[in-house]
């Protein structure tokens, strides 16, 4: 039985002032029927951990380096993330793949390091609109999965987020059949590669313009175990009804 996960990605948003949103979220969900994760910018990891100590909210990072330490100005390591109090990291987000030229091999190397440090990795995959229009979606997702996910993956240290690039921050959302097709495909690929036990225990999140008013429809799709939410995770008043919809999805 997979426990559902509502994950928020604050991206490059948030300063100390916004920690009040985390406190409000924790107050609204003292005993949630799903896991709740917020990934603030690296500058807030430690304070976010303090704000959410003894609450049901977990904290994660948005990125980490593939090496354990060294001459990498501006980067942060898996150990630094753990030291700041976080236990999760998002890897291979499309904004990292596009803006920082990250390849599947880069994501796989980072994931291997993060997993061996004890972090749970949320690895993002997703197609462009041109790739979908050319009927290449499943080929693209299959390639990203085999290229980005290391052999060390387990049901505990891996979460996959399917995030169609054309749905991120645009207000456009695939229809339930399109989401179901991709999630079913990801599930079958994981089962084929890692066996049924691991393949069935990895949580699959949908991400891309999830809002309070579309969350219930998305969570009703088979093999959707939660969401990775950008814009609507910044305010407790927006994220809270998404969490409630996930809890209600059973
Ligand atoms: C994201 O960037 O991971 C995301 C899903 O963003 P949004 O919810 O704003 O579309």
């Amino acid at each position: 039985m997979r426990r559902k996960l509502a994950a928020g990605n604050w991206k490059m948003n948030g300063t100390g002032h916004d920690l009040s949103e985390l406190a409000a979220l924790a107050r609204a969900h003292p005993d949630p029927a799903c896991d709740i994760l917020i990934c603030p910018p690296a500058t807030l990891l430690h304070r976010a951990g303090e704000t959410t100590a003894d609450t049901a909210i977990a904290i994660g990072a948005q990125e980490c380096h593939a090496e354990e330490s060294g001459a990498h100005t501006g980067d942060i390591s898996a150990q630094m993330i753990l030291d700041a109090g976080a236990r999760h990291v998002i890897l291979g987000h499309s904004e990292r793949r596009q803006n920082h030229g990250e390849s599947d091999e880069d994501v796989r190397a980072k994931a291997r390091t993060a997993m061996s440090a004890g972090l749970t990795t949320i690895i993002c995959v997703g197609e462009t609109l041109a790739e979908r229009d050319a009927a290449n979606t499943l080929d693209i997702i299959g390639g990203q999965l085999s290229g980005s996910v290391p052999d060390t993956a387990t049901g505990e240290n891996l979460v996959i987020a399917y995030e169609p690039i054309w749905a991120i921050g645009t207000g456009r959302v695939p229809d339930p059949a399109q989401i179901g097709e991709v999630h079913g495909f990801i599930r079958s690929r994981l089962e084929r590669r890692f066996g049924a036990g691991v393949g069935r225990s990895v949580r699959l999140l949908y991400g891309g313009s999830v809002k309070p008013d579309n969350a219930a429809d998305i969570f009703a799709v088979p093999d959707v175990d939660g969401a990775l939410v950008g814009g609507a995770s910044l305010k407790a008043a927006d994220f809270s009804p998404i969490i409630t919809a996930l809890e209600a999805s059973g």
Side-chain angles (χ1 to χ4, degrees), residues 9 11 90 93-95 124 163 167-171 206-211 228-233:
N9 172 14
K11 310 192 185 190
I90 299 170
H93 191 282
S94 59
E95 288 155 11
C124 303
E163 299 208 305
I168 294 178
T170 61
Y206 167 78
S209 295
V210 176
K211 306 287 178 207
L228 181 56
V229 182
S233 71

Side-chain angles (χ1 to χ4, degrees), residues 35-109:
D35 290 342
I36 304 174
L37 170 70
I38 293 287
C39 300
T43 49
L44 283 183
L45 280 178
H46 185 70
R47 277 186 287 170
E50 288 180 337
T51 302
T52 56
D54 303 320
T55 76
I57 300 187
I59 298 300
Q62 299 174 14
E63 176 57 22
C64 82
H65 199 277
E67 290 179 27
E68 287 174 13
S69 63
H72 302 291
T73 303
D75 285 315
I76 60 172
S77 71
Q79 281 304 333
M80 292 171 184
I81 292 168
L82 286 164
D83 183 55
R87 295 289 174 269
H88 299 73
V89 62
I90 299 170
L91 292 172
H93 191 282
S94 59
E95 288 155 11
R96 298 289 312 179
R97 292 178 185 264
Q98 285 182 333
N99 302 344
H100 297 268
E102 287 188 9
S103 65
D104 287 332
E105 291 69 31
D106 295 330
V107 176
R108 187 184 186 113

